[in-house]
Amino acid sequence: QPSIILMDEPLGALDKRLREQMQIEIKRLHRQLGVTIIYVTHDQEEALSMSDRICLMSNGGIVQLGRPDELYFAPNSLFAANFLGEANILKARPGPAAGEAQALGTTIRFRGQGRSTAAELSLLIRPECFSLAAGGPADNRLTGKLADVTMLGPLTRLDVTGADGTALLAKLPTSRALTGLAIGQAFQLRGVDLDVPADGKGAAAEQAALSGTLAAIAAGLDGAHGTAAEIAEAHRALLADPALAAIAA
């Protein structure tokens, strides 16, 4: 029984239904065997659904390392925000108080600590983090015109054009009220669970700290370049690093 398993795009050639069945089977085997699995994939949904930890890489470097929900809702850079899933990225100005900004003619309240000194912020709103603006606080209300309605099954996609021409994408639970909306009508959405992607400076530190261990693992997993002792040492290095030990699906 191996202590580390490397899977490189193992399900890439399968159709959608069989791929989903095999994802469940791989997760079951992982729980049953208790081994570390390093799973390489370009499929974002596959990475989010199967991983305990995700290592997002670009051009050979680590962009962000963390739990799936951290990468999805609290990306450390605009690259990470745009790469994983669909995203509304709004340009905004810092507000007078901590956790506030001005965008699309309204006050936006977001997760964050301290008042930003930057001249401009980028606010992240995932399509699923909208709700219909019916009563409640006036902040986080985004007004525009409905450009399109697309029923996707359990979710309905709403394309909204803001007053300044900004395109907004929302995905809400399907209902008769949503599917009956008329294109061109005035519309209000309320954003919830907003975040500000970081500047990505932490990625360089993550890469510097982990690159040596990743190289050791790569050498250890390649029998042509690693002795049994080197493989064992690579495994010990992996398990000694709390971040790397949790990359496995």
Side-chain angles (χ1 to χ4, degrees):
Q1 178 176 318
S3 54
I4 301 178
I5 298 176
L6 174 63
M7 295 186 176
D8 189 357
E9 301 274 11
L11 309 180
L14 304 182
D15 62 63
K16 185 176 186 296
R17 177 171 293 183
L18 182 55
R19 186 167 63 248
E20 291 174 349
Q21 292 174 347
M22 290 304 300
Q23 289 172 2
I24 295 173
E25 181 65 13
I26 289 173
K27 292 178 70 175
R28 185 190 67 79
L29 286 172
H30 173 249
R31 290 192 298 268
Q32 178 181 322
L33 299 176
V35 299
T36 297
I37 299 177
I38 299 177
Y39 194 103
V40 181
T41 181
H42 288 84
D43 187 318
Q44 299 175 20
E45 290 186 4
E46 190 171 72
L48 290 169
S49 66
M50 295 186 66
S51 299
D52 296 320
R53 301 265 284 185
I54 294 177
C55 181
L56 176 60
M57 304 186 72
S58 177
N59 296 321
I62 296 172
V63 176
Q64 187 171 354
L65 177 68
R67 300 190 313 272
D69 62 298
E70 290 175 338
L71 270 71
Y72 191 75
F73 290 111
N76 69 358
S77 65
L78 287 175
F79 173 85
N82 282 300
F83 185 84
L84 281 174
E86 296 174 299
N88 296 285
I89 306 294
L90 304 182
K91 297 300 181 183
R93 300 187 311 277
E100 287 187 358
Q102 298 292 321
L104 300 182
T106 189
T107 298
I108 303 290
R109 301 186 189 278
F110 57 88
R111 296 173 183 269
Q113 297 180 356
R115 183 178 182 278
S116 175
T117 58
E120 187 177 77
L121 297 175
S122 294
L123 299 179
L124 167 65
I125 310 179
R126 295 294 183 188
E128 303 83 8
C129 292
F130 278 117
S131 64
L132 293 180
D139 58 336
N140 290 16
R141 289 175 177 264
L142 306 177
T143 303
K145 288 187 177 181
L146 190 61
D148 201 4
V149 180
T150 306
M151 182 178 173
L152 304 174
L155 294 177
T156 294
R157 173 184 172 125
L158 303 177
D159 290 277
V160 179
T161 303
D164 63 350
T166 299
L168 299 172
L169 168 61
K171 288 185 177 180
L172 305 180
T174 296
S175 66
R176 291 186 182 275
L178 283 182
T179 56
L181 292 172
I183 293 176
Q185 74 178 72
F187 204 75
Q188 273 197 343
L189 291 169
R190 188 165 189 272
V192 295
D193 199 25
L194 279 61
D195 216 319
V196 180
D199 56 13
K201 292 179 181 178
E206 284 181 334
Q207 180 175 348
L210 301 180
S211 59
T213 309
L214 284 172
I217 294 168
L221 289 172
D222 185 350
H225 299 285
T227 65
E230 290 170 335
I231 294 174
E233 178 58 32
H235 190 204
R236 282 194 295 272
L238 173 68
L239 298 179
D241 190 318
L244 279 177
I247 290 177

